[in-house]
Amino acid sequence: MTARRARLSRGLALLMMAVALLTVPAQARSEPTAPAAAAAGTASGGSHTVVTWGASADRMGDGVAGRSYRLIVHTSVAGGELRIRLSNAFGDRPVTFDSVYAGVQKEGAALVSRSNRRLTFGGGRSVTVPAGATAYSDPLTGTLPAATSLVVSIHSPDAAGPATGHGLAMQTSYATQGDHTSEESGAAWTDTIGSWYYLDAVTVRTGADIGAVVALGDSITDGWASTTDQNRRWPDYLARRLQRAGTGVKGVANEGISGNKVLADGAGQSALKRLQRDVLSQPGVRTVFLFEGVNDIKAHSGVTAQDLIAGYREIIARAHAAGKCVVGATVGPYEGWSEWDRAGEAVRQEVNQFVKDSGEFDAVTDFDHILRSPYDQERMLPFFDSGDHLHPNDKGMQAMADAVDLAGLDCGR
């Protein structure tokens, strides 16, 4: 009976999510921050738009005409007036999306019955996104609960040239040829994929006192070595903490890219280059959580501690100019990884001293202290080590999220 009750409970929860989305789309608006009627949970002080999910854009190889993608994403903050952002940031020509839907995942590529709803753009069913640009959908009325497994299905009749997306999703999504976006059955979605294509943000409208934090990072933030399909990246654990906490910061956008550097392009554009698009452009962001640097250090490219500190200072200055708080995190231990050496370790130690003692960040989280072994402080604690000596396992990811001072995510700027 216990298993049966669990299945019934899960089914009821999915049905409630679906019902929350089953309303007629609201009137089209051109910008995500445009005035709108108050959504569920909005305080008397008004409402605004907040990012509830995000993933950094990068180049993804060539687009395929006639291809459909069914993308599974996990939301953080609850709210009304769901909108998505489609990105052609790395395209060299316009790309058209002629059918876009949003629903709630039941299992695999299948959706909860009657949850799949068409998204419009400026009132129309189709949108053409110019090269280098993004486009927001019109909002849907109804409330999107926190921690929803949202399914965004998109079809492009003319995709070609460089596609835009996010390579390491740590989440199974689906693809197929032909337009099957309106179907709630998963039968046609026979190709499994581990990346997100063209979708880079989901927003909701909620109380004006609610904000979001954006995690700007590399593979550790991206979730490498965490369990696929279980939402066990450290920003996921942080989102779950925030939902339970009495804090105004509720939204979490994960803007990590595996292999990313602060100073140089390579695995994605550098943090400095992508800061505006991936972080500061997201609506409702109150705090930037900066956790990057190990790839700059271990690349043996001659980057000094002062070089990396200068990069941190530029990110701090730009975020502060935009009215955002900035939390800095120390670089974790990585002895045992193939690129570790004494010179890099010395840079790491100097950079971490700056993060902790400079006073230039609004708050600090000492991930190095949390992850390192008390017996060998240049190595990760084996209990947290995924086995490669750089990336934490699920337990390490949770420990990182648990170390974040939630009050420090809101400096009141």
Side-chain angles (χ1 to χ4, degrees):
M1 293 295 291
T2 302
R4 183 172 181 270
R5 289 194 186 100
R7 289 194 298 271
L8 288 172
S9 177
R10 181 174 182 272
L12 179 60
L14 290 172
L15 180 60
M16 291 174 66
M17 289 181 187
V19 170
L21 288 168
L22 281 173
T23 46
V24 179
Q27 183 178 357
R29 299 175 178 87
S30 61
E31 295 296 333
T33 54
T42 298
S44 59
S47 65
H48 70 158
T49 300
V50 175
V51 62
T52 188
W53 175 87
S56 301
D58 198 2
R59 180 168 175 162
M60 292 287 291
D62 287 342
V64 179
R67 192 79 165 154
S68 291
Y69 298 98
R70 176 152 283 183
L71 308 169
I72 316 299
V73 303
H74 199 67
T75 65
S76 54
V77 62
E81 301 192 6
L82 161 75
R83 302 182 78 171
I84 69 166
R85 189 171 80 174
L86 296 175
S87 177
N88 191 23
F90 291 87
D92 62 4
R93 68 201 73 188
V95 60
T96 297
F97 302 96
D98 61 357
S99 186
V100 182
Y101 280 76
V104 177
Q105 185 185 32
K106 179 180 180 181
E107 185 177 12
L111 306 185
V112 173
S113 178
R114 297 186 298 165
S115 71
N116 205 26
R117 294 174 56 194
R118 183 184 291 276
L119 290 168
T120 59
F121 298 81
R125 294 184 173 189
S126 178
V127 62
T128 298
V129 186
T134 60
Y136 274 97
S137 69
D138 302 327
L140 295 176
T141 56
T143 301
L144 181 71
T148 296
S149 290
L150 182 71
V151 181
V152 177
S153 302
I154 63 176
H155 175 262
S156 173
D158 63 357
T164 297
H166 186 86
L168 185 74
M170 302 304 296
Q171 171 67 55
T172 302
S173 289
Y174 303 87
T176 188
Q177 202 64 17
D179 183 4
H180 297 273
T181 54
S182 66
E183 300 170 9
E184 293 183 330
S185 167
W189 300 88
T190 54
D191 298 340
T192 57
I193 56 175
S195 301
W196 292 303
Y197 286 82
Y198 298 108
L199 176 70
D200 78 341
V202 178
T203 69
V204 294
R205 197 161 188 87
T206 187
D209 57 336
I210 301 299
V213 56
V214 176
L216 177 60
D218 49 40
S219 57
I220 299 176
T221 297
D222 213 8
W224 179 259
S226 66
T227 302
T228 299
D229 295 335
Q230 296 299 310
N231 300 303
R232 293 180 182 174
R233 315 163 193 84
W234 74 262
D236 297 322
Y237 284 109
L238 178 61
R240 289 188 279 272
R241 281 190 69 202
L242 289 169
Q243 291 308 313
R244 299 190 298 266
T247 174
V249 176
K250 296 290 186 186
V252 178
N254 185 336
E255 302 293 337
I257 296 180
S258 292
N260 199 231
K261 298 176 183 176
V262 174
L263 304 175
D265 294 347
Q269 293 179 323
S270 71
L272 291 170
K273 282 188 180 178
R274 65 190 185 89
L275 179 66
Q276 178 61 38
R277 180 188 64 243
D278 289 349
V279 180
L280 301 181
S281 73
Q282 301 287 4
V285 173
R286 196 170 294 177
T287 305
V288 179
F289 195 109
L290 176 59
F291 176 44
E292 276 208 68
V294 70
N295 291 315
D296 299 78
I297 294 169
K298 68 183 181 60
H300 303 148
S301 60
V303 169
T304 67
Q306 290 308 309
D307 293 333
L308 200 47
I309 289 167
Y312 287 173
R313 282 176 166 150
E314 182 178 338
I315 291 171
I316 293 168
R318 289 168 59 189
H320 281 172
K324 316 302 181 187
C325 306
V326 185
V327 177
T330 52
V331 179
Y334 69 101
E335 184 179 356
W337 178 264
S338 61
E339 294 169 296
W340 183 92
D341 62 13
R342 285 288 168 196
E345 180 63 23
V347 172
R348 186 180 76 91
Q349 294 292 347
E350 188 175 347
V351 166
N352 283 352
Q353 203 66 40
F354 166 81
V355 173
K356 291 185 289 185
D357 298 339
S358 69
E360 297 189 34
F361 291 97
D362 298 296
V364 172
T365 299
D366 195 352
F367 282 158
D368 175 46
H369 177 75
I370 294 300
L371 293 173
R372 72 193 184 205
S373 168
Y375 308 108
D376 184 350
Q377 297 191 4
E378 296 169 358
R379 286 183 176 269
M380 192 182 303
L381 186 70
F383 183 69
F384 293 150
D385 193 343
S386 67
D388 66 12
H389 313 300
L390 173 64
H391 300 96
N393 56 23
D394 291 353
K395 292 293 185 184
M397 294 283 185
Q398 184 172 10
M400 291 169 66
D402 288 346
V404 176
D405 175 12
L406 301 187
L409 296 179
D410 191 353
C411 69
R413 283 187 177 272

